[in-house]
Amino acid sequence: MRDEKKNDKVTAIYKAVQELVEEGADFRTLRVSDVSAKAGIGKGTTYEYFSSKEEMIVKAVSYSSYIMVTHILAEMKKETSFKGKFMIMLKELEEKIKQRACIFRYLNMISEEGVYKELCAELINDVEAKNSHPMRVISYLVDEGIKEGVLGNSFSKNYMEVSVFSKIIAFSMYTDTNLSGENCRIEEMKQQLYLGICRELGA
């Protein structure tokens, strides 16, 4: 029972961080008191589960990313074609961008120098942390493209993953700057991305 209560409180903390980030909070200036108030627990209780604010934030964002990555993979697996899976992935990312989803904070954390990047590196051997990385989605997509014969064998799988990932990052940045309702341009960009990947990496 004690472990269940602990898990409930930790999950509440994770969700509180996620909600605050999606409301526009910067994880660098986020305060433990803000998180504990959002989670409905005492500030002191938070430190029973985490040694520092930074550890709390990294684990919370990693948890949120894990939930999102798992959801996107489940949605992609409902599609039978590589193109269908690719388009579902972009649709889900577009929605998460609008929600200011934590996964994009996760990408910042693992790419920027400092304590957050170091903590992410320490967590990388954790199964949940590994499964929270967006490359899980890219790796699955590339595998499916190879199986279907849409992607060729002229390049290594690692190269194809990096190539697709770079285009997804570009799409995310483009979408983030076009949230004013220009959906036609975003839909056009999705088609161009798909065709570009097929031309570059096609069989």
Side-chain angles (χ1 to χ4, degrees):
M1 179 64 71
R2 182 173 295 179
D3 286 342
E4 289 179 5
K5 287 183 178 180
K6 173 184 176 181
N7 289 336
D8 288 344
K9 289 181 179 179
V10 170
T11 300
I13 292 168
Y14 288 166
K15 289 181 177 179
V17 172
Q18 175 183 339
E19 290 174 10
L20 288 166
V21 168
E22 291 178 357
E23 288 169 7
D26 187 327
F27 62 81
R28 297 176 187 81
T29 57
L30 197 61
R31 297 179 301 180
V32 173
S33 58
D34 296 329
V35 175
S36 57
K38 192 80 168 177
I41 61 177
K43 180 178 178 181
T45 303
T46 304
Y47 283 111
E48 291 179 13
Y49 306 119
F50 307 99
S51 61
S52 66
K53 180 192 83 168
E54 290 76 17
E55 181 191 5
M56 174 192 70
I57 291 174
V58 167
K59 288 186 175 180
V61 174
S62 176
Y63 170 83
S64 177
S65 296
Y66 168 75
I67 297 298
M68 177 181 159
V69 165
T70 302
H71 169 73
I72 292 176
L73 282 172
E75 292 301 307
M76 290 171 69
K77 289 176 182 178
K78 294 176 182 178
E79 295 291 328
T80 57
S81 69
F82 173 75
K83 183 176 183 179
K85 295 175 189 293
F86 182 79
M87 291 303 175
I88 282 291
M89 177 187 66
L90 294 185
K91 177 185 175 183
E92 291 291 333
L93 285 176
E94 183 183 354
E95 289 301 314
K96 297 304 178 184
I97 290 168
K98 291 177 181 177
Q99 298 169 12
R100 296 179 180 272
C102 274
I103 191 168
F104 301 104
R105 302 302 188 272
Y106 183 83
L107 290 172
N108 288 338
M109 285 179 178
I110 61 179
S111 62
E112 293 181 356
E113 296 298 329
V115 63
Y116 289 105
K117 182 175 182 178
E118 293 172 4
L119 284 168
C120 285
E122 291 176 8
L123 280 173
I124 202 64
N125 290 323
D126 180 83
V127 172
E128 187 175 280
K130 281 184 177 180
N131 289 337
S132 69
H133 201 292
M135 285 304 292
R136 233 181 109 206
V137 174
I138 304 301
S139 181
Y140 167 75
L141 183 68
V142 169
D143 282 340
E144 292 300 301
I146 294 171
K147 286 179 186 177
E148 191 176 317
V150 178
L151 303 184
N153 297 315
S154 302
F155 303 99
S156 69
K157 185 187 173 188
N158 285 341
Y159 175 83
M160 287 191 281
E161 288 178 351
V162 170
S163 178
V164 173
F165 187 61
S166 66
K167 291 174 175 59
I168 299 308
I169 292 296
F171 170 78
S172 300
M173 294 174 65
Y174 177 81
T175 304
D176 190 38
T177 57
N178 284 273
L179 292 179
S180 58
E182 297 180 352
N183 290 330
C184 58
R185 292 190 177 181
I186 292 176
E187 292 304 315
E188 182 183 348
M189 177 62 70
K190 291 177 184 178
Q191 296 296 328
Q192 290 176 350
L193 277 175
Y194 174 75
L195 293 174
I197 287 171
C198 290
R199 279 195 296 267
E200 179 187 351
L201 306 175

